[in-house]
Each structure stands twice: as C-alpha cells, then as structure tokens.
Amino acid sequence: MEKPEPTLVVDLINGFRRSKVMFTAVALGIFDRLNDAPKDAAELARQTSANPGALERLLNACAALGLLRKEDGKYSNEPVASAYLRSGSDGTLAGYILYSNSALYPLWQHLEDAVREGTNRWGQAFGKQGSIFDHFFKSDEAKRDFLMGMHGFGSLSSPHVVTAFDLGRYARLVDLGGATGHLAMSACQRYPRLLAAVFDLPSVIGTTREYVKRAGLEDRIKLIAGDFFKDALPEADLFSLGRILHDWPEEKIRLLLRKIYDRLPPHGALLIAERLLNEDKTGPPDALMQTLNMLVCTEGRERTLSEYTALLREAGFENTQSRRIGAPVDAVLATKERTGWQRLSLRPSRRPLTRPSATLSRRERAEKWR
C-alpha cells in the first residue's frame, strides 16, 4: 500500500518552532527597533544585548517566515510585521504574543497532564494557585501585556461583532468584562446615538480609560469598576460579553446569564462574542485549539451554538440568533422577549405589550440613563 504524503505531520512537528521564532523576535523588540530604519544583525545585537551570530539566525528565520525583508545585509519590517508586531501600531498583536510567550507557551507544555486530569496547569507551570486573573494580573507588566493582547484581538473582531446584527434600536450598552473597551468603542462608532459603559475589575479600569481617551469617546463611554459575579449590574437595554463565557464552567455561566436577564428590560438583549464549535465538535480547527487553550489556562471551554442556546434559554432568553462573521470570534444575540409574569400567564393578554420607555425618544432615554 502506498504511504500518504507526510507533509501534514511534518508541518505539525515544526509548527511550534515557527511560533517561537515570532515570539522571541517580539520579546526582543526586533520589530520596534526596525520601525525607523533598516539595521544589520550586529547593530541589533548591540541594542538587544544578544549574541550576534545567534541573533542573525533568528533574523534570517524571520525573513524566511515573511516577517522581515533582508537586503544588502540589513533587515527591515515587512508590512504585516509593521501592522501587527510593533508594540506601538494600531491593532497590534504584540501584547497577545508576549502573553502567549510568557504564559501560554509554558502552560501548553503540560497539555498531557491537563488532558489526564481535566484541570488547568497554572500550579504545575508556575507553582501558584488562584483564579486565572490572579495569574494574568500578577504584575503591572503582565496585566498590560494581557490587556494589550485582548485589545489587539478585539480590534480584529469587535467591528464585525457590532455589525452582525442591527443594534440601532438599543440606547445603552454595558460591556461586561470589557477590558480596554474595544467592543464598546466599535459599537459607539457604528451607532452614533448609542451610549455605552465598560464594566470591569478595578485593576483594569485605569487601562480602559487610556484606550477610551485615545479613541476620543470619553463623553459616550462610562467606566464602571466592579465584579460582574458579585456586584449589581448597571442599567442597560443591551449587555455584551466578549470572550468571557468561555473562561467559566456552566454553574458560573448560569449565575451570570440569570443576573443579566433579570437586569434587562423587556425586549432588551445580550450580545455574545465567542468562537462557536461546529455541532459535531470536529471544527473549526482554530476553535478546537482554543478549547484546548481554555483547558490549560481556565475553568472553561469553547461551546456549540446549541450549548449556548440551552444555557440562554435556561436563564430566560427566548430568541437566540448567531452569525459567523469571518473574525476570531462569532456573534450571538439573545433577546428578552417577554416579562416573567407574561411567560407564566396561562392566558395570553389581549392588550399589546407595554414598555415604560416606549413613549420616550431615544434622546430622552439617553439623558435618563446618564
């Protein structure tokens, strides 16, 4: 029998090497240092305190991967590196790369034990226990890398998430666990009449303020410090959860979804941004890699649309829609169609459903919620 081509297996063997080349170049600040002018290996070695010969090997590998251009012995950034690998570029992914290098890469070394035991690997990799955010925020530098990483990925996804459904009928959005505010900012830019708030931990809000100010949206995005599991939620007719639910097990998700449902007015909604698994859970490949990532570093996992729909229905949401949006996440919108007493009523009401805010104009509702 003729053997199949080994290309797939060989590519998988070498995959981690390519990732680590990029991680190392970002960690050394190579792409930042090449922003102004091309440099040779010797100059970059002096600037990074690296061995010249070893650094030249790394630079040549980056050129082979399409991240750098080499001409006359000098290196310069390719456009993709300038856009996503420099720490100062808009929409940079450098923060997520640094977080991947310092946190995820060590955690993934223990994937076998995570599969055997079904638990994350923070204690095994770093000798510390605690919640995932105790590790993400163990230092100001680690916190900034994590938040910058979330902003980079969020900047790729959020503009698509907020256009997946028509959100123009909503007046006030509260993004729970909104990090740098990328989803709230995208929503405000897409819907000029919308007011928004970012609700996140006190240790995060200071960084959020920097990003919101940079976007010039301080007058439309309010910042609220709190813990969405423990504290009362702000008033809103639209809540959003961007890459939040996949961090947690079902019992915590049920608690959070019920809190959101109870806080929403009739016809309010919840916008969810998560990567959806196919119903048979054999794809998409990036979603399956992400669910293993959740295994090694959180209490959660990626889910199918039917699994999210069941959790939402249990919380009270009666209408769930989804969209594949060609981004690192997919979009789900769940609406609160009726109030509790109407759902329990044995006889349908003959009167039209009334809404206390229905007689208010959008401007009046916005002023009310300020």
Side-chain angles (χ1 to χ4, degrees):
M1 182 181 295
E2 185 178 351
K3 288 184 178 181
E5 285 293 323
T7 305
L8 172 62
V9 174
V10 174
D11 283 348
L12 290 172
I13 289 172
N14 290 324
F16 82 93
R17 302 180 187 184
R18 291 190 287 268
S19 297
K20 190 62 176 176
V21 165
M22 182 178 69
F23 292 177
T24 301
V26 171
L28 289 173
I30 297 299
F31 305 105
D32 287 339
R33 297 175 193 280
L34 292 175
N35 184 45
D36 297 329
K39 295 180 175 67
D40 60 23
E43 184 177 1
L44 287 167
R46 287 193 297 271
Q47 293 178 351
T48 59
S49 300
N51 177 275
L55 182 63
E56 185 177 20
R57 296 190 204 184
L58 181 73
L59 297 172
N60 288 337
C62 287
L65 292 175
L67 303 177
L68 294 179
R69 183 185 303 114
K70 185 179 183 181
E71 295 177 343
D72 300 325
K74 292 189 174 184
Y75 301 88
S76 57
N77 289 337
E78 290 284 8
V80 68
S82 293
Y84 299 113
L85 302 182
R86 290 190 303 109
S87 60
S89 66
D90 291 336
T92 181
L93 297 176
Y96 197 83
I97 291 169
L98 292 172
Y99 159 66
S100 297
N101 190 42
S102 63
L104 297 185
Y105 193 82
L107 290 168
W108 273 76
Q109 291 184 62
H110 303 292
L111 178 61
E112 301 98 314
D113 293 324
V115 170
R116 290 189 184 99
E117 299 176 21
T119 56
N120 69 58
R121 297 293 98 193
W122 286 104
Q124 185 176 10
F126 301 106
K128 296 180 180 179
Q129 300 298 330
S131 75
I132 58 174
F133 294 104
D134 291 336
H135 300 285
F136 291 160
F137 300 160
K138 64 181 183 293
S139 67
D140 288 341
E141 182 181 6
K143 178 184 72 174
R144 182 164 290 276
D145 285 347
F146 176 75
L147 291 175
M148 188 169 69
M150 294 301 100
H151 186 81
F153 261 105
S155 296
L156 295 178
S157 302
S158 289
H160 301 283
V161 171
V162 300
T163 57
F165 309 97
D166 182 7
L167 306 178
R169 62 186 178 275
Y170 301 108
R172 176 66 182 266
L173 162 70
V174 172
D175 188 21
L176 300 173
T180 59
H182 51 82
L183 193 147
M185 288 187 280
S186 294
C188 286
Q189 290 162 352
R190 177 66 177 84
Y191 303 98
R193 297 180 180 180
L194 184 72
L195 297 175
V198 175
F199 186 91
D200 212 321
L201 298 170
S203 58
V204 173
I205 289 297
T207 303
T208 313
R209 185 172 289 105
E210 296 175 19
Y211 281 90
V212 171
K213 184 176 181 180
R214 192 182 307 165
L217 290 169
E218 308 101 306
D219 61 331
R220 294 180 59 198
I221 299 178
K222 185 177 180 181
L223 307 181
I224 305 172
D227 183 326
F228 49 62
F229 284 122
K230 299 176 182 177
D231 300 322
L233 302 182
E235 184 178 5
D237 60 350
L238 176 64
F239 284 98
S240 58
L241 292 168
R243 296 181 67 156
I244 298 295
L245 296 180
H246 73 169
D247 287 337
W248 305 105
E250 276 71 11
E251 58 268 22
K252 287 192 174 182
I253 291 176
R254 291 187 181 97
L255 171 65
L256 181 56
L257 293 181
R258 189 65 208 185
K259 282 184 70 173
I260 293 170
Y261 183 87
D262 289 343
R263 190 67 171 118
L264 282 169
H267 301 283
L270 169 61
L271 177 65
I272 297 171
E274 293 285 2
R275 195 67 171 107
L276 296 175
L277 291 170
N278 295 343
E279 289 299 324
D280 66 359
K281 298 187 178 181
T282 61
D286 61 330
L288 292 165
M289 296 304 103
Q290 183 68 352
T291 200
L292 287 173
N293 193 57
M294 294 296 99
L295 172 63
V296 299
C297 71
T298 73
E299 302 173 52
R301 61 185 178 89
E302 305 304 318
R303 295 173 174 85
T304 65
L305 176 62
S306 62
E307 287 175 322
Y308 279 122
T309 300
L311 289 165
L312 289 161
R313 186 178 296 116
E314 185 179 344
F317 292 96
E318 297 175 349
N319 181 23
T320 301
Q321 308 171 64
S322 70
R323 300 283 189 274
R324 300 277 188 179
I325 56 177
V329 295
D330 303 302
V332 176
L333 186 71
T335 53
K336 181 175 180 175
E337 296 294 344
R338 293 174 288 179
T339 60
W341 68 266
Q342 287 168 323
R343 283 187 284 115
L344 295 173
S345 175
L346 297 177
R347 181 183 303 172
S349 172
R350 296 182 179 180
R351 293 182 296 177
L353 188 65
T354 60
R355 296 165 59 190
S357 60
T359 59
L360 299 178
S361 69
R362 184 182 296 274
R363 180 177 179 182
E364 288 170 328
R365 278 182 285 166
E367 290 299 325
K368 176 178 177 285
W369 276 325
R370 280 190 183 278

